[in-house]
Amino acid sequence: MMTGYGNSSRTRKHPRSRGRMGSRSGPDRATLGIIGLVCAIAGFFVLGIILGPAAVVAGWLSMGRRWASDNIPAVVAVALGAIDIVLAFVWLVGQGTPGNGFF
């Protein structure tokens, strides 16, 4: 049996297994929650139709795709992102009316 470069019996067949890389938790989820919160707040001022869904997705992924109230920035990002989406649609409907205003 040849034990040359990469043919060792100790070479792992699945290098990204759970033991080596760990689970997706900790700073990754906290960072996603903060990114979602920033997108939600910025969505009130510019590009709410784009930043609102981005905030909802980032917040939802930060919560681990379940409702968990222990991650406050993620919950706030989902709530504010949903408000961003509603306000963006209201603004778009208002732009189509003859008054060319908010309503």
Side-chain angles (χ1 to χ4, degrees):
M1 181 162 144
M2 260 176 92
T3 56
Y5 296 105
N7 292 331
S8 172
S9 61
R10 296 187 316 175
T11 302
R12 297 183 77 161
K13 294 183 181 186
H14 303 288
R16 292 184 182 255
S17 64
R18 186 175 295 209
R20 181 173 174 202
M21 299 303 287
S23 63
R24 297 212 24 114
S25 62
D28 290 337
R29 290 194 177 178
T31 303
L32 269 177
I34 293 171
I35 289 171
L37 187 60
V38 169
C39 286
I41 292 171
F44 281 116
F45 302 105
V46 292
L47 298 173
I49 197 73
I50 296 170
L51 293 176
V56 170
V57 168
W60 184 254
L61 290 175
S62 176
M63 287 190 290
R65 291 178 278 187
R66 60 182 174 80
W67 283 106
S69 62
D70 58 342
N71 194 353
I72 300 299
V75 174
V76 173
V78 170
L80 291 180
I83 293 170
D84 281 345
I85 294 169
V86 169
L87 288 178
F89 279 126
V90 167
W91 181 78
L92 283 174
V93 168
Q95 289 297 319
T97 59
N100 210 18
F102 193 73
F103 284 107

